[in-house]
Amino acid sequence: MAKLDSPMTYSSALGAEQCLAGTFRVEFPAQTVEWSDGMYLVHGYQRGEVVPTLALLYSHKHPEDRPWCQGIAAEVIQAGGYFSMYHRIIDAQGRVRHVLTSGDAIRDARGNVTALEGVMLDLTSTLRRETEQTAHDAVVAATSTRSVIDLARGILMGRLLVGSEAAFQLLVNDSSRRNVKLALVASELVTLAERPDGADALEAAVRRMLAWPKMAPRKLRQETGT
């Protein structure tokens, strides 16, 4: 059996770094298994350390995923066709890896399945990078949101000569009345305050907030004379 090559891969999360991946072939009815070098690496081995078999392959499937993988493989071996499985494996060092396995059944002239060929792509690093980036973006967004709300609150405090809590409540109330996010209400005020020609519009926006009796606390309306 010819030595299999590992596939070329690309992940937008990893950039120039390739995803770990390998190819495999299983011959029937002998059930002989051939792995590329990448398949050994995905499972935590170097070529020559183990002899790949179906038993070894399934032993590395995560216990919760193993029955599904075995069921899909059995169906493809029986009926033919393509398969794709996103699942977990546990490599030789005990590390959980998230992999995508896909391939197809090879038939002979009589339609019998004689082999399964496919590729296993290790997505562990990609998922980790994307999770880290998502968490980082969320922190940046939260920090940015807090900053713009603090700026808007400061604008109201300065224009109305009210405390921090009262200014914040005005923003919250306007957000509720207009059914828009608090950050958007704050951003609008900050944008108007930063515009050279935004003084009149800013004044109108602030007065609009105070014009709603149910929204502006009575004490605040008394303090501002509205």
Side-chain angles (χ1 to χ4, degrees):
M1 186 180 294
K3 182 178 177 181
L4 298 177
D5 293 326
S6 293
M8 297 294 294
T9 61
Y10 167 74
S11 166
S12 60
L14 301 180
E17 181 182 345
Q18 284 194 336
C19 298
L20 185 58
T23 54
F24 60 89
R25 180 181 174 91
V26 184
E27 299 275 0
F28 298 102
Q31 295 190 0
T32 54
V33 179
E34 176 69 10
W35 282 358
S36 71
D37 289 342
M39 281 291 289
Y40 286 96
L41 294 176
V42 170
H43 288 86
Y45 300 110
Q46 296 290 331
R47 182 179 288 276
E49 290 185 339
V50 294
V51 176
T53 63
L54 284 179
L56 177 66
L57 181 69
Y58 286 128
S59 72
H60 280 285
K61 303 300 183 189
H62 192 284
E64 294 178 1
D65 298 339
R66 187 181 300 130
W68 294 97
C69 295
Q70 290 176 316
I72 290 173
E75 185 173 344
V76 173
I77 293 169
Q78 178 65 32
Y82 298 92
F83 63 94
S84 181
M85 303 180 295
Y86 173 64
H87 61 288
R88 295 161 293 177
I89 65 172
I90 302 175
D91 70 12
Q93 286 72 46
R95 298 169 298 194
V96 176
R97 294 180 181 267
H98 297 260
V99 300
L100 176 65
T101 303
S102 61
D104 65 327
I106 309 301
R107 297 175 181 269
D108 61 17
R110 292 177 293 180
N112 297 319
V113 173
T114 60
L116 293 182
E117 290 185 344
V119 58
M120 178 178 285
L121 181 64
D122 184 357
L123 299 177
T124 309
S125 296
T126 292
L127 292 173
R128 181 173 61 249
R129 292 279 181 88
E130 290 186 342
T131 299
E132 291 172 351
Q133 186 61 48
T134 298
H136 175 267
D137 292 345
V139 171
V140 170
T143 301
S144 176
T145 296
R146 287 196 297 270
S147 297
V148 73
I149 291 174
D150 287 343
L151 285 172
R153 181 162 50 184
I155 291 169
L156 290 175
M157 290 169 63
R159 294 187 70 87
L160 300 177
L161 301 179
V162 297
S164 175
E165 183 178 350
F168 182 72
Q169 191 60 51
L170 271 179
L171 293 171
V172 171
N173 290 344
D174 197 50
S175 169
S176 176
R177 177 180 65 82
R178 296 166 56 195
N179 194 29
V180 298
K181 291 184 177 180
L182 179 61
L184 179 58
V185 172
S187 179
E188 291 173 349
L189 281 183
V190 172
T191 299
L192 291 175
E194 292 177 344
R195 284 174 45 186
D197 59 344
D200 291 343
L202 176 61
E203 181 67 22
V206 173
R207 291 299 169 184
R208 184 198 66 230
M209 291 183 178
L210 296 171
W212 288 79
K214 292 183 179 180
M215 294 302 160
R218 177 180 299 177
K219 182 178 179 181
L220 178 58
R221 297 199 305 276
Q222 293 173 344
E223 291 177 359
T224 57
T226 59

